[in-house]
Amino acid sequence: MGHIQLMSAALANQIAAGEVVVRPASCVKELIENSLDARARAIQVHLREGGIAEIVVIDDGQGMDEQDAALAFRRHATSKVYEPRDLVRIRTLGFRGEALASIAAVARVRLTTRAVGAETAVRVAVDGGEMGPLETVGAPVGTRIEVRDLFYNTPARLKYLRTVQTEQARSVEVVQQAALSRPDVAFSCQTEHHVLFQTPGNGDVRTVLAALYGVGEAKQLLELSAASNDYRVHGLIGRPTQARSSRGYAHLFVNGRPIRHPGIHQAVIQGYQNRLMVGKHPMYALYVEMDPSLVDVNVHPHKAEVRFSEEQDVARLVSQAVAAALDGTLLAATPVRTRQPHATTVQPLALDWRGARDGQVTPANTSPMPAPADKAVREGLTEMYRTGEPARSSGRPEPTKAQFADESATPAHHVSSGDVEPTDRDGWPADWSLRPIGQALGMYILADDGESLYIIDQHAAHERVLYEDFSRKLRERGVFAMPLLAPLELTLSPVAFARAMAVQQELADMGLTYEPFGAQQIVIRAVPDIWQGLDVERLAVDVFDDLQALKGDSVIEQMRLCVATRACKAAVKANWTLSPPEMEALCRSLVKCQDPFHCPHGRPIFVRMTNGELERAFRRIV
Ligand code: ADP
Ligand code: MG
């Protein structure tokens, strides 16, 4: 007796769906591509619970007649490829005829569509791959697809999904990429709570970027355009000052498709020469165009990757175009970040701290004001010396008058007290103490503990102290929200905005309080007290950027880390001259840390030479 049987169509579709629809975002991508292939001028995307509960995509494209609607959910039913030779020159986004069949296999789908020229629309529901009857209904020309309860019949897949915020962020990113790839099409993206963004479809990339990142940011972008024999590149790139700590602001399109290509991203960075800070990513929307035969559009439906037949050539063209765009403008105009007129910062954090001294001007800054950040840091150290506590842990910090509203406005947060609990540090004495000897090379503290000689990286040490102090305050809910005198408005990217809304409460617990204001704007009313004296706007921008990049389950934990490490900008810098009391304070706090060995970023804090090692080095013992 034979054992081989043909699987049912429903099962085959479900298995194949695993490749096409892995998460809400892939479903959103397929549906938008279909709308674009149908020549839609306007596309609306609605997401409920990040798309897990429901995705609705509405377009004003050519629609389907009754016959097509009946066929659309059948595997390999496509209006786009008819013959093998058509595959060579694929111009439409979809061509496999798999998407709708796959989506319908793992969700409850309802299609309402009216073809151009048709009097009425048809509606059909597909539930777990089973198609219901066709109904005639009234609806505008175009197509509306509702996808509910994704993966309700494939629990294994459902389990694989991340949090609602993560799934939503990915879906929004897909819409964002689509809007950038087609500035001539009007997109709107909304959740059950907010309209995240809307683009007008006027064909202008800058307008799309304004919708995504705010007018201020978009205005500053530089135009770029270049061509070689085979390739053409055009688009907009950010000034070096617009660089972000997340890659999420870099958008590359190859022949209209959003693509991730590390090689081309590197080429863009190279075009900035040395104008970008390490770890910062440029903001850009770049479009590379070429004959389709020169690029291998990876035929796997998800990998947004391509292979160029001459990658070097493309990379060179991109680097040169970026360099030329920057050279042309940087010399003429001073690249200033646009700030809201009522921005609360006293002065931007100088990038270059060389020569930074209390009350002096940093060379990187031409403003004749003392850098308040330096001052606050020094005061923190002095306080630490006086009280023997890590900076500001023993009482409410003094708000800087220019920056913070009066104390009565401070929410009554409880004041923390007490030291870091001493933890056993493997073979390290509990009463370990370091005696500073002096400062070397302007960045290291030399110290001894009676047994060894230590060379301590003063910046790393202070970062560690501040980090543990901040973390402990968070644990004990001792972080103060410092109200801002003038609330700070920030325009976030749609992804960052969605995230920001999702973690509003968690950030409020860390002292960062804000509320939504307009489509993608937030108004920040208070910041963690540890940010006192720092460039609050810059820190907030960085935190929301960090937020955007967070992935996985421990988002809250990661968020703490980023708020805390951002706060570590308050640490003493490498080239400050420290007074003996300051060094003593730092050493005293360091030995109390749970991990006095590594800075929050994991780098070592000190180098140690034991007595024995020194004796050997001096040949006192052999
Ligand atoms: P593919 O896009 O690869 O052809 P799909 O399963 O995504 O396969 O779609 C199947 C067919 O359904 C398409 O070829 C198209 O004819 C029709 N279709 C799907 N979505 C739309 C839409 N939004 N507007 C008009 N026709 C559509
Ligand atoms: Mg398709």
Side-chain angles (χ1 to χ4, degrees):
M1 191 184 85
H3 294 282
I4 299 179
Q5 291 177 21
L6 284 175
M7 340 176 159
S8 71
L11 180 59
N13 282 343
Q14 230 180 64
I15 292 171
E19 285 173 39
V20 182
V21 194
V22 282
R23 52 174 16 111
S26 36
C27 184
V28 172
K29 179 163 183 282
E30 293 292 343
L31 295 178
I32 290 179
E33 290 187 347
N34 280 347
S35 297
L36 289 173
D37 284 345
R39 300 202 190 86
R41 310 302 310 159
I43 300 174
Q44 289 179 31
V45 179
H46 301 251
L47 304 167
R48 197 150 52 80
E49 289 176 31
I52 302 169
E54 187 179 40
I55 299 165
V56 182
V57 175
I58 305 165
D59 70 48
D60 63 351
Q62 65 201 16
M64 286 174 258
D65 60 22
E66 213 163 291
Q67 211 181 345
D68 284 352
L71 272 176
F73 292 97
R74 293 262 292 274
R75 178 157 303 274
H76 307 304
T78 175
S79 54
K80 300 167 196 171
V81 174
Y82 304 97
E83 306 239 0
R85 72 184 142 85
D86 292 340
L87 270 176
V88 191
R89 300 196 140 253
I90 293 160
R91 287 283 183 185
T92 51
L93 296 165
F95 53 85
R96 302 158 145 260
E98 280 184 333
L100 288 185
S102 299
I103 294 167
V106 292
R108 303 182 217 275
V109 180
R110 195 163 73 159
L111 163 73
T112 310
T113 183
R114 179 170 148 202
V116 178
E119 297 277 293
T120 52
V122 286
R123 171 172 293 166
V124 60
V126 188
D127 204 330
E130 295 295 317
M131 194 151 102
L134 291 184
E135 288 172 70
T136 303
V137 294
V141 170
T143 301
R144 173 190 180 105
I145 298 195
E146 296 148 79
V147 177
R148 276 190 212 100
D149 307 325
L150 200 56
F151 305 130
Y152 76 98
N153 57 355
T154 43
R157 182 62 67 178
L158 193 61
K159 235 192 253 161
Y160 169 79
L161 293 184
R162 302 290 186 176
T163 57
V164 165
Q165 303 121 358
T166 306
E167 296 305 333
Q168 176 169 307
R170 292 188 196 207
S171 299
V172 173
E173 202 180 324
V174 166
V175 191
Q176 190 178 317
Q177 292 284 54
L180 277 170
S181 78
R182 294 292 303 271
D184 58 322
V185 175
F187 280 87
S188 90
C189 180
Q190 48 194 289
T191 66
E192 62 268 53
H193 307 297
H194 311 275
V195 176
L196 293 179
F197 66 89
Q198 274 174 306
T199 67
N202 64 359
D204 179 24
V205 178
R206 198 184 291 271
T207 319
V208 179
L209 287 163
L212 301 182
Y213 304 137
V215 178
E217 210 69 67
K219 257 203 214 147
Q220 292 193 73
L221 298 167
L222 307 173
E223 246 162 75
L224 164 163
S225 164
S228 66
N229 284 344
D230 291 332
Y231 308 102
R232 200 172 100 73
V233 53
H234 61 100
L236 293 166
I237 58 166
R239 295 166 190 266
T241 40
Q242 292 179 279
R244 313 294 283 240
S245 44
S246 141
R247 239 176 234 242
Y249 297 80
H251 306 278
L252 175 68
F253 301 89
V254 175
N255 287 352
R257 284 170 185 269
I259 294 296
R260 259 181 245 280
H261 197 293
I264 302 299
H265 187 65
Q266 271 314 309
V268 175
I269 291 178
Q270 234 167 49
Y272 278 79
Q273 284 129 8
N274 296 320
R275 294 176 179 126
L276 287 178
M277 275 204 294
V278 179
K280 291 276 178 181
H281 296 276
M283 181 184 268
Y284 61 81
L286 286 185
Y287 302 81
V288 182
E289 243 83 56
M290 65 194 69
D291 189 277
S293 65
L294 292 175
V295 58
D296 178 7
V297 180
N298 194 326
V299 189
H300 190 281
H302 294 299
K303 279 201 191 127
E305 285 166 15
V306 293
R307 216 170 309 126
F308 300 110
S309 50
E310 303 289 346
E311 186 177 327
Q312 299 284 341
D313 292 357
V314 185
R316 195 172 325 114
L317 181 68
V318 166
S319 288
Q320 284 168 357
V322 169
L326 290 167
D327 285 344
T329 332
L330 287 183
L331 299 175
T334 7
V336 205
R337 265 179 65 78
T338 34
R339 285 167 181 282
Q340 314 281 358
H342 55 278
T344 45
T345 46
V346 182
Q347 190 186 21
L349 246 191
L351 302 182
D352 183 350
W353 289 79
R354 248 163 297 157
R357 294 287 184 282
D358 199 358
Q360 280 186 19
V361 180
T362 63
N365 254 300
T366 42
S367 136
M369 284 166 70
D374 304 6
K375 222 168 156 211
V377 175
R378 291 210 164 242
E379 279 161 8
L381 263 186
T382 312
E383 173 73 3
M384 191 158 95
Y385 174 69
R386 225 170 36 74
T387 62
E389 291 282 316
R392 304 190 215 122
S393 70
S394 55
R396 167 171 293 183
E398 288 261 314
T400 308
K401 291 214 173 47
Q403 206 168 1
F404 298 106
D406 80 36
E407 275 198 63
S408 56
T410 312
H413 268 281
H414 119 145
V415 181
S416 88
S417 61
D419 295 48
V420 179
E421 327 72 59
T423 41
D424 57 274
R425 293 173 295 199
D426 270 0
W428 226 258
D431 61 345
W432 182 41
S433 79
L434 282 169
R435 186 180 63 86
I437 302 162
Q439 195 183 20
L441 306 174
M443 33 179 138
Y444 306 108
I445 299 171
L446 297 185
D448 86 83
D449 65 356
E451 305 216 330
S452 304
L453 178 67
Y454 293 81
I455 304 173
I456 302 166
D457 179 329
Q458 65 193 38
H459 173 67
H462 196 204
E463 264 191 341
R464 165 53 63 183
V465 169
L466 290 178
Y467 177 66
E468 288 202 5
D469 183 36
F470 186 67
S471 306
R472 192 199 53 233
K473 282 176 168 182
L474 277 182
R475 270 200 311 278
E476 296 172 0
R477 303 196 144 251
V479 171
F480 298 107
M482 298 280 272
L484 295 172
L485 193 58
L488 173 64
E489 280 170 34
L490 272 192
T491 305
L492 303 178
S493 74
V495 176
F497 179 80
R499 267 273 159 89
M501 288 304 101
V503 296
Q504 210 172 349
Q505 187 53 51
E506 286 80 0
L507 281 178
D509 290 345
M510 298 179 205
L512 187 58
T513 58
Y514 53 87
E515 63 227 39
F517 170 74
Q520 272 160 252
Q521 274 167 312
I522 55 168
V523 188
I524 300 181
R525 305 221 177 262
V527 297
D529 59 359
I530 195 158
W531 289 9
Q532 188 191 351
L534 298 175
D535 181 349
V536 169
E537 180 178 354
R538 190 69 246 180
L539 286 179
V541 166
D542 283 345
V543 162
F544 288 111
D545 270 9
D546 290 349
L547 220 59
Q548 188 178 207
L550 300 187
K551 298 232 158 75
D553 299 323
S554 56
V555 169
I556 304 293
E557 272 312 303
Q558 297 175 47
M559 217 158 66
R560 289 221 165 105
L561 185 73
C562 83
V563 173
T565 47
R566 289 290 164 201
C568 287
K569 291 224 166 122
V572 297
K573 295 298 177 273
N575 24 42
W576 281 7
T577 307
L578 295 178
S579 68
E582 284 171 338
M583 286 189 267
E584 207 169 300
L586 201 49
C587 286
R588 211 156 57 195
S589 305
L590 180 67
V591 296
K592 282 197 227 156
C593 285
Q594 300 196 1
D595 178 359
F597 315 114
H598 303 98
C599 79
H601 315 284
R603 288 188 286 273
I605 288 176
F606 57 73
V607 175
R608 175 168 77 135
M609 271 175 279
T610 63
N611 200 359
E613 281 165 343
L614 286 169
E615 282 181 336
R616 268 191 294 281
F618 291 112
R619 313 262 158 88
R620 286 172 159 271
I621 49 170
V622 274

